[in-house]
Every structure is written in C-alpha cells, then in structure tokens.
Amino acid sequence: MRWYFALDEAGARGEAGVLAQLAVMSSRLCPGLEPRLLYYGARCDCTRWMEERGVRVIDAVPPCGEAMAAATARGSFRAHSAGHWLRLAIPVVDRDAAFALYTDCDVVFLRPIDFGAIRPRVFAAAPEFAPDAWNYFNAGVMVMNLPAMRAAQAGFEAVINARLDGDGGAQFDDQVALNEAFRGYWDRLDPGLNAKPYWPYDPHAGILHFHGPKLGGIGAIAAGQWDWDDPVARGIGALCAAHVPRYVAWLGDLAERFQVIDMAWAVRLHQLAGQLAAYGRLQDGAGHDVSLMGFRMFEN
C-alpha cells in the first residue's frame, strides 16, 4: 500500500519533521507500506533524512493555492499549515494506484495492518474526538479510493475556491472542506486505526495519532511549562491533563515497541511516560475543560 504523508518546509524544519521521522521509523512495525512524502518548499535536512531511508519525496503544491493566497491577502483566511492542504493533491499526484493510505505526520504504526481489506467508495476515516461520534471525521488517517476522489476533484476544488472567495474562510481548513463536501459519501474506518492518546488504551490498535498536544507539548505539560493562560493552548492541553493515565499507558506501550526499532527513542518515550506519571500524581485535582471532545459540527 502506498502511504502518503505531507510536510511544508516550515513543518519539516520543526517538530512536525521530527514526528514524521518517528512515523517512518515506526512503519517497520507495519510491513507492506511504501512511504511517499508530499513536500512543499526548499529541500532540507529532513527531506534528506527521508530519502536516505527510502522515502520517495515528491514536490507538490496545495490545491487552490491562488484562492488561498488571495484570501490571505484580504485577511479573510489564514492557512494553519500548507502541509495539511497537500493531502488533497494525492489523487492528482498519484494516477497509478487504485487505493492509498494517507496519515498526518504525528502518527505511529503499532502493528501489521491489512489495508488491502479496506476498499472505500471514496475514502474511509474515523471519528474526530470520540470513537463513536460518526457525524464528523478526523482526516489524519484516510484510506483513499484514488479514482473516485480524482473524479470528484474538479468539483471539490470549485467548492473550496468559492468558500475562500466568500467571507466564511477564516476558520476553513482542509478537514472541514472534506467533511462538508463528502458528507454521506465516506466510509467508516476502524477507530483503532486512528486511535488518540486521550482514548482508553487499546493493545489491539493499529495506528496511534497524537491528536492534541504533540510529544513536545506533552513534555511541556509534564514539566509544568504549558501555557494554560492561552485559551487555545488550554483546550489542547486539557486533552492530556484530564487523561494522564491513558497517555502514560500509550507512551509506555510505544516505548516497549520502539526497543526493536530505535533504542534512543524507546528511552525518550519511557522517560516521557515517567515524567507525565509524576505530573499526574502531583496534580491538585483541579478540573480540566474537555468540552471540545463533545464537538459536533454536523448533526447525525
């Protein structure tokens, strides 16, 4: 199975690049993947690292780039990450494969997965915050039917351009675009293939997605250095702080798995689990607002 992930230059030079390397290393636990990085920007140490390890790096541009640039200039839109938008280019970039896997960079593979058994009509995805909330999906892991998505590409991009040309683009992103355009046309993916560390620990999960605080953020929370005064950071950090035992269990499991992949990372993950466990024991019991986990963009 061709496995696509995506980075822009800024992400590659930051934590996203480190997490992408971790994802590539973890792919050893999931044989049969053909890693392909869609990349936007000047080549750097991260892309060199990828190529040295057999990752095919493909230069790509986000779809609807002109509309995004115009909306940004008007002040009505700001892309959180150009790298995220690159996932929408996969059906255009790949005209050979029938199906492909896409993941965000902040995932780790945990075991072999039979992706050949997943044959969605257009694409398959799992829920965003709660494993049983199927009204809105998370696009961080998708199995794509490339011919079907390619057939819809022109109309899909027209919808995106129209949204960006209007006044409703400020909070618009590629995941919202996918949910809006394909509502009722996507298939359900096993939530264990897009497990979140704030979910109960599942030893049978296939892919863990650091949705919420990334490894650096988890370390900052454990060290008491998280910015709890910032409203956005407070909501993201609460996912970890309110579910410390779950994070500790996932990190501990990941540390064990990485002992056969990269011992330095195994030690790092083990230490992070210990630091977070200590943080959890010292908490004063103050509640954390995790109301965003009840997020509903669309009604069922």
Side-chain angles (χ1 to χ4, degrees):
M1 172 72 77
R2 293 178 181 176
W3 163 42
Y4 286 90
F5 56 107
L7 282 168
D8 57 23
E9 184 179 350
R13 296 182 185 276
E15 186 180 24
V18 175
L19 293 171
Q21 293 175 9
L22 187 68
V24 169
M25 286 188 281
S26 75
S27 68
R28 285 180 49 188
L29 299 174
C30 187
L33 294 178
E34 302 174 25
R36 299 182 174 207
L37 168 61
L38 293 187
Y39 188 72
Y40 178 64
R43 298 298 179 96
C44 63
D45 290 344
C46 181
T47 56
R48 191 158 41 251
W49 185 97
M50 294 290 173
E51 290 178 323
E52 289 173 352
R53 286 156 181 80
V55 178
R56 181 176 174 184
V57 180
I58 303 170
D59 292 309
V61 296
C64 307
E66 292 184 4
M68 280 192 280
T72 299
R74 293 194 307 270
S76 62
F77 172 76
R78 181 177 179 273
H80 173 68
S81 166
H84 281 181
W85 284 90
L86 288 174
R87 83 182 97 197
L88 304 186
I90 295 172
V92 178
V93 169
D94 192 332
R95 294 183 174 272
D96 299 325
F99 296 89
L101 170 69
Y102 165 82
T103 76
D104 284 351
C105 295
D106 56 342
V107 306
V108 284
F109 295 92
L110 303 175
R111 61 170 174 81
I113 300 166
D114 182 11
F115 288 108
I118 305 172
R119 291 292 182 260
R121 294 167 296 168
V122 182
F123 59 82
E128 173 85 336
F129 285 111
D132 60 349
W134 291 101
N135 59 308
Y136 185 84
F137 63 81
N138 175 268
V141 179
M142 304 170 67
V143 176
M144 297 178 165
N145 180 325
L146 296 182
M149 293 194 73
R150 191 159 49 247
Q153 189 76 14
F156 183 36
E157 291 189 17
V159 171
I160 295 173
N161 284 331
R163 178 73 177 268
L164 293 171
D165 288 342
D167 297 328
Q171 303 299 321
F172 192 57
D173 62 25
D174 52 302
Q175 180 170 283
V176 172
L178 285 163
N179 269 278
E180 289 183 349
F182 292 98
R183 185 184 182 197
Y185 293 95
W186 57 278
D187 294 322
R188 295 184 177 189
L189 183 69
D190 178 358
L193 299 183
N194 192 350
K196 317 301 193 302
Y198 47 83
W199 291 0
Y201 170 67
D202 176 6
H204 304 295
I207 299 175
L208 178 63
H209 179 189
F210 283 99
H211 183 247
K214 313 309 176 192
L215 291 177
I218 296 169
I221 291 169
Q225 298 172 351
W226 189 253
D227 185 4
W228 294 105
D229 293 327
D230 179 87
V232 174
R234 186 165 59 246
I236 294 172
L239 293 171
C240 175
H243 300 101
V244 168
R246 296 178 179 181
Y247 272 78
V248 171
W250 284 108
L251 289 168
D253 175 89
L254 198 55
E256 293 292 325
R257 294 176 192 268
F258 258 78
Q259 288 186 20
V260 299
I261 300 174
D262 186 287
M263 186 55 69
W265 263 108
V267 171
R268 180 176 173 181
L269 291 163
H270 178 74
Q271 290 175 337
L272 182 57
Q275 292 164 357
L276 189 61
Y279 163 82
R281 289 193 295 270
L282 293 173
Q283 283 195 88
D284 61 5
H288 294 279
D289 182 7
V290 290
S291 58
L292 80 168
M293 290 183 66
F295 167 80
R296 297 290 187 273
M297 175 164 287
F298 302 125
E299 293 298 326
N300 286 316

